[in-house]
Amino acid sequence: MDNYQVLIVEDEDVTRFSLRNLFEAEGYQVFEAVDGETMSLMLMQHSINLVIMDINLPGKNGLSLGRELANNKNLGLIFLTGRDSDIDKILGLEIGADDYLTKPFNPRELTIRARNILSRIGQTPSEDDNKATIIKFNQWTLDSNSREMISPNKKVLAIPRGEYRALRLLIKNSGQIVTRQELIKEMTGRDLRSNDRTVDVTIRRLRKHFESSPETPELINTIHGEGYRFVGTVEKG
Ligand code: CA
C-alpha cells in the first residue's frame, strides 16, 4: 500500500527540511512547496492527504491559501504560525484548518496531531484512479492503470496525474465545453480559485503530446472565456 502523502508548504529552508526529515522518519511520503503556486502544482501532481502550512509565505499568505483548501474534506490542514496572534486570525477567519501549532513546536506533538487528523479523515491513500480503464480515441490509447498515453505510432508517454485527470474529464464530456473550474476541481479534487494558468499549462502540455503525432494536430479546442472542448472521436466499448 502507498503511504500517506504530506505536503510541506514553507519558504524557510531550515524549517522545511526538518519537517521533511520528521515526516519521512514517520514513513510518510513527503513533498515540498515554497509558495502557493508550487502548492497548487504539487496538489495536482500527487495525491496529497495532509498539508502542513506556514502562515508567513511570499505572495499569497497561508491564511488565504488555507481558505482555498478548506472546502475539501478529504484533505487535512495543519497551520504553523510564528506568532500567537496568527492563531486568532485562523479562528477569526474561520478557516477550515484541522489544527495549528505555534513555532517552535514540539515535533512529536506535530506528528501525533498529523496522525489523528489522517485517521479522522479516514481516507486511504490513492483510493481513486484505481479502476482500470482503457480509453481509445483517434488512434491514441489512454490507460488509467499506468496513466500512460500510447500514440498512434506506439510511443508510450507516462503523463502526470493532473494531465491524466484533465484529459479523462475532457474525453468523458467529449464534444461539450468543460470549464476551467471543472478541470481544476477534477485535477486537484479541490475547488481552488484563481488557477486558470495551471489549467492552461496542463492543456498546453496535452496538446504538445497530440501535436507530436501527425494524425492528431488538434484534439482540444479553446472556448474563449469558457474553457476547453475535446473534439476527438472516442471509441465505444
Ligand atoms: Ca515563512
Side-chain angles (χ1 to χ4, degrees):
M1 194 180 80
D2 287 346
N3 294 331
Y4 281 116
Q5 299 190 350
V6 175
L7 175 62
I8 315 280
V9 189
E10 163 68 273
D11 59 313
E12 293 149 23
D13 293 344
V14 176
T15 314
R16 198 176 62 251
F17 294 155
S18 75
L19 285 168
R20 167 184 273 278
N21 290 337
L22 175 66
F23 279 93
E24 276 182 349
E26 294 278 315
Y28 293 88
Q29 200 180 345
V30 180
F31 300 93
E32 298 175 22
V34 293
D35 55 22
E37 198 161 325
T38 336
M39 178 188 83
S40 300
L41 283 174
M42 288 289 149
L43 288 171
M44 221 164 41
Q45 288 165 357
H46 308 287
S47 319
I48 306 293
N49 305 103
L50 177 68
V51 173
I52 314 277
M53 179 140 61
D54 180 39
I55 286 196
N56 298 302
L57 295 167
K60 271 193 186 177
N61 71 24
L63 293 171
S64 34
L65 294 174
R67 247 176 307 187
E68 294 180 8
L69 299 180
N71 301 341
N72 184 1
K73 292 183 174 55
N74 293 322
L75 181 74
L77 174 61
I78 298 179
F79 273 123
L80 299 176
T81 81
R83 300 185 296 266
D84 280 333
S85 60
D86 285 335
I87 291 179
D88 296 337
K89 284 188 205 144
I90 297 172
L91 298 174
L93 293 169
E94 292 177 11
I95 294 164
D98 298 289
D99 215 333
Y100 40 84
L101 285 171
T102 313
K103 293 178 190 175
F105 50 86
N106 176 335
R108 189 166 155 65
E109 188 170 0
L110 176 58
T111 55
I112 288 172
R113 293 197 189 185
R115 212 176 306 143
N116 287 344
I117 289 168
L118 287 167
S119 68
R120 201 164 67 217
I121 295 170
Q123 190 192 19
T124 55
S126 320
E127 64 184 30
D128 58 356
D129 292 341
N130 283 346
K131 259 185 262 158
T133 40
I134 304 283
I135 302 168
K136 291 183 184 237
F137 58 93
N138 301 75
Q139 302 177 59
W140 282 84
T141 303
L142 181 65
D143 182 345
S144 72
N145 221 15
S146 53
R147 256 182 11 227
E148 283 169 351
M149 290 206 318
I150 302 159
S151 78
N153 60 4
K154 305 295 173 221
K155 199 177 152 207
V156 178
L157 308 161
I159 58 173
R161 182 191 179 80
E163 284 176 45
Y164 165 72
R165 289 187 151 197
L167 180 59
R168 187 181 59 178
L169 184 68
L170 285 165
I171 290 175
K172 202 171 138 195
N173 296 286
S174 180
Q176 296 165 42
I177 298 169
V178 180
T179 65
R180 286 192 176 82
Q181 192 64 31
E182 287 166 337
L183 283 165
I184 199 82
K185 191 164 185 190
E186 178 77 8
M187 286 154 66
T188 63
R190 286 161 265 280
D191 262 322
L192 295 174
R193 271 157 264 159
S194 2
N195 278 272
D196 287 4
R197 218 178 69 83
T198 313
V199 174
D200 295 340
V201 168
T202 303
I203 298 293
R204 203 177 309 147
R205 290 197 183 129
L206 283 171
R207 281 179 171 154
K208 235 188 190 130
H209 299 318
F210 296 138
E211 284 162 7
S212 70
S213 167
E215 289 90 344
T216 51
E218 199 171 313
L219 291 180
I220 301 171
N221 285 354
T222 304
I223 312 298
H224 288 288
E226 296 188 64
Y228 293 96
R229 180 167 56 198
F230 183 79
V231 292
T233 311
V234 185
E235 277 182 36
K236 294 262 177 342

